[in-house]
Amino acid sequence: MVFYGLRKFARELGLEVQSGVVCGIYERYAVSMCEGNGYKAFSISAKFEKELCDQIEMELMELEGNYRRVAYIRFIEGILEARFVDNPGTMKQFRNCFFDVLSVLDEYEIPDADICPKCGLPMYGQGVWSLFKLYGRKTCLYTHEHCAAAMEQEVNREIEWNRQHPVSKEEFIESMMEIHEDESREELEKLYEEIEEPDTEERRMQRRLPGWVGALCGSVLGAFILAVARGFLGLAAIYFSWLCGELVRAGYKWTKDVRGKKGSIIMIVMAIFSVFLAAVLSAVSYGAEIMNWYHTFNDVSFAEKCMEYLAAGFRVMEMQKRDYLVYIVVGSFISLIGVADAVMNLFLNKEEKGMRRKRIQKRK
């Protein structure tokens, strides 16, 4: 999504808005801009040689200090990108920084937009804009069509190789300590546990039980706790429904089963089922109490007595169906707070499979 401020700036520069990003040729530079949740960014794609990047980088680091809202101005995968924290007043700094960066680049002999930033050969009118998406991050690049396709394949091959050959804990900590010298080893070990997951087959060998078993156990436990809370608090117990989701997530995590879209669906379904089961248990408890007031059970088996209590519970739910419907629907939404990471993983799972490319326009 490109909002009014960035759209207006794009029109001033003669750039176009395509597929939720701004892209085009300004002066002699291939420029793209985008914005999202809490950020604005612009990037310049050109054939930046490594020696040239080293020379320019020092000036760009000095330029960063002039703008409070700038997060970084860096060369990332051969693209010069500047990212800003998006708050009121950011657009003014964004505009000024853009022209300041161009003034720095004008001091060096940088190939213009007619030279492909990947292969270094002339475009000959065959340049295309490609939108790359990787782990939720968007990048625009102006290259030959075959160069963009080759870049996508190369990155996806590297991602697949890294997935099959996960980095060891010691290698991860050593590499991170070189970048973040101020971080302690304990903090880096905790970071490794959060972001590094063993290979799928290795996880399957380590798991204690199938994930749905742990999620079901957490769901039943949460239902009993929520039913007891409803007996004391009434409908106010609905605010504790998030506990059902927390117990479902803890149960799934205890099994050490593989996380993914399947695991996310299991946790979401079990969290909602937990609230429904709590409603049934509370209704059965209330119905059993009423029956004990008016009936005595003589010469009745335990199974028949349970069936009578269950039937009484469903009659209570039918008589108070509006209250129980509100309880189940609202409680289900609140329970999803406890499995928020599973909900996020369900929608972000496509992005985690690798880099995706979309051609958005050709140069006119």
Side-chain angles (χ1 to χ4, degrees), residues 54-234:
D54 294 338
Q55 296 177 24
I56 302 174
E57 200 162 22
M58 295 303 296
E59 293 190 43
L60 295 178
M61 291 178 66
E62 294 178 3
L63 190 62
E64 284 183 11
N66 299 333
Y67 299 96
R68 293 185 298 108
R69 305 287 174 78
V70 69
Y72 60 78
I73 307 175
R74 292 287 185 273
F75 289 99
I76 303 175
E77 298 293 334
I79 299 172
L80 176 58
E81 180 176 285
R83 183 168 291 243
F84 288 75
V85 177
D86 195 5
N87 286 314
T90 296
M91 195 64 222
K92 182 178 180 180
Q93 293 192 22
F94 184 91
R95 294 166 59 99
N96 294 338
C97 183
F98 174 76
F99 291 116
D100 286 344
V101 169
L102 291 189
S103 65
V104 171
L105 296 181
D106 287 338
E107 299 175 2
Y108 298 88
E109 295 182 0
I110 297 174
D112 61 20
D114 287 323
I115 302 299
C116 178
K118 288 301 176 184
C119 66
L121 297 176
M123 295 286 192
Y124 296 119
Q126 299 301 312
V128 297
W129 279 101
S130 295
L131 173 64
F132 291 94
K133 293 183 179 181
L134 179 63
Y135 301 120
R137 180 175 171 269
K138 294 191 295 186
T139 302
C140 274
L141 191 63
Y142 183 65
T143 62
H144 290 121
E145 176 77 26
H146 62 275
C147 289
M151 178 181 173
E152 180 186 18
Q153 293 177 359
E154 180 183 353
V155 172
N156 285 332
R157 278 197 301 267
E158 184 177 352
I159 291 173
E160 181 63 21
W161 191 91
N162 290 334
R163 189 189 67 81
Q164 296 179 2
H165 303 82
V167 65
S168 67
K169 187 174 183 178
E170 289 300 323
E171 291 174 340
F172 175 84
I173 292 175
E174 289 178 5
S175 62
M176 291 299 293
M177 288 187 73
E178 293 178 0
I179 303 173
H180 304 284
E181 298 178 355
D182 54 337
E183 297 288 344
S184 66
R185 187 178 183 86
E186 291 76 14
E187 292 174 338
L188 294 177
E189 288 178 354
K190 184 178 179 181
L191 179 63
Y192 175 83
E193 294 175 357
E194 291 177 355
I195 67 175
E196 292 292 334
E197 293 185 358
D199 185 66
T200 300
E201 293 301 322
E202 185 178 349
R203 282 292 290 272
R204 291 192 181 276
M205 293 174 63
Q206 290 180 354
R207 71 177 184 175
R208 298 188 178 101
L209 290 169
W212 67 267
V213 175
L216 179 61
C217 292
S219 178
V220 173
L221 178 60
F224 274 104
I225 295 175
L226 192 59
V228 172
R230 191 175 190 278
F232 289 99
L233 303 175

